[in-house]
Amino acid sequence: QTDESGQITGLAVCFAGTNSMLDVLDYLQMNADALVPSMVPVLEAVRALALANGLDGQDVTITGYSLGGGMTNILSRHADTVVDGFFAESDYYGFASPVIHESDRILNVGFENDVVHRATGDSHSFWQAVAQADPSLSNPDRDFSTSTDNFVLFDDTYAAAEITLGVDSLLNPLAWLAHIEGASGDAIERAGASRFYHLMDQDSTVVVSGLGGDLREHVWVRDKAAPTSDHFGAAAFVIGSEAGDRLADGSANDWLEGLGGDDTIRVSSGLNV
């Protein structure tokens, strides 16, 4: 980040997600913090660049998606000691991270029905994390103080949650659609741009339409009973898309926003906006 004169005023470290089959091996070591030494050369270079421009750790943002989100959480966990603690006061944002660090220095954003988001949680070994999942390697829907725990992408797989085997299982190829959408779609931006955003908190139930054209005209986007949900029946924010959506309320007081397109909104009970 630079000012009008070109002077550097901020830096960001963005860890890449999985982009090679070799990266998969890193998942076996991630929770045990074995990857920390591999970060040091890059972080030392970033520190040098920051100091050369009169900046300190507060001027650095650390972020990443998926595997990169896991690296972000690992660095957050060790920020007080890595590179002499230079990044202890940096801001940390993990996206769709399997690893979750419980600290007020980091925020983890991801979809409840993403098979990767929070998958290994705060476990300190890969096998401890596996033991917490069921035999189909379903993602345990756990709550953390540093993660969005009720943010739903209502995609085609979620729409069929009652009949799709292992909708939250790492072994189900269809269950990975929410993880892919998190990197390529605009659901997070739509939630953030909602006129109801100022009413939301970190763990509000937020359901964002992600249906394809084949289902969008026939399926009601709503807070529904699903394997990944522990909030069914609670107040919810239901956000549409720029296409024509069908949005429905639940049994509580809900906020529904169609955005663009020719939407159909159905309300039944509660005080809805």
Side-chain angles (χ1 to χ4, degrees), residues 41-192:
V42 170
L43 295 177
E44 287 179 336
V46 174
R47 178 178 63 175
L49 179 61
L51 294 174
N53 286 274
L55 306 178
D56 59 25
Q58 297 184 58
D59 302 308
V60 181
T61 297
I62 313 293
T63 189
Y65 189 86
S66 191
L67 173 60
M71 298 289 278
T72 301
N73 277 266
I74 292 170
L75 180 54
S76 174
R77 185 186 293 170
H78 294 274
D80 291 327
T81 57
V82 172
V83 194
D84 301 321
F86 183 80
F87 299 96
E89 300 301 320
S90 299
D91 290 327
Y92 290 75
Y93 301 96
F95 291 89
S97 172
V99 179
I100 301 296
H101 177 221
E102 295 279 63
S103 167
D104 59 5
R105 68 163 57 107
I106 188 168
L107 172 65
N108 285 288
V109 178
F111 300 125
E112 168 189 289
N113 53 313
D114 180 344
V115 295
V116 175
H117 179 54
R118 307 170 301 164
T120 60
D122 54 359
S123 303
H124 280 261
S125 76
F126 174 80
W127 296 112
Q128 180 185 357
V130 170
Q132 294 175 349
D134 69 15
S136 66
L137 291 184
S138 291
N139 188 344
D141 182 32
R142 291 178 292 160
D143 295 338
F144 296 96
S145 65
T146 63
S147 63
T148 57
D149 298 319
N150 302 307
F151 188 12
V152 176
L153 178 68
F154 199 110
D155 59 6
D156 293 13
T157 303
Y158 195 80
E162 297 91 340
I163 59 176
T164 302
L165 180 64
V167 67
D168 54 347
S169 171
L170 291 164
L171 304 179
N172 181 1
L174 294 177
W176 285 81
L177 293 178
H179 187 66
I180 296 171
E181 175 70 16
S184 61
D186 66 347
I188 295 176
E189 287 82 357
R190 278 185 277 141

Side-chain angles (χ1 to χ4, degrees), residues 27-49:
Y27 280 88
L28 302 177
Q29 310 175 63
M30 190 185 317
N31 285 76
D33 301 326
L35 302 178
V36 173
S38 66
M39 304 181 190
V40 172
V42 170
L43 295 177
E44 287 179 336
V46 174
R47 178 178 63 175
L49 179 61

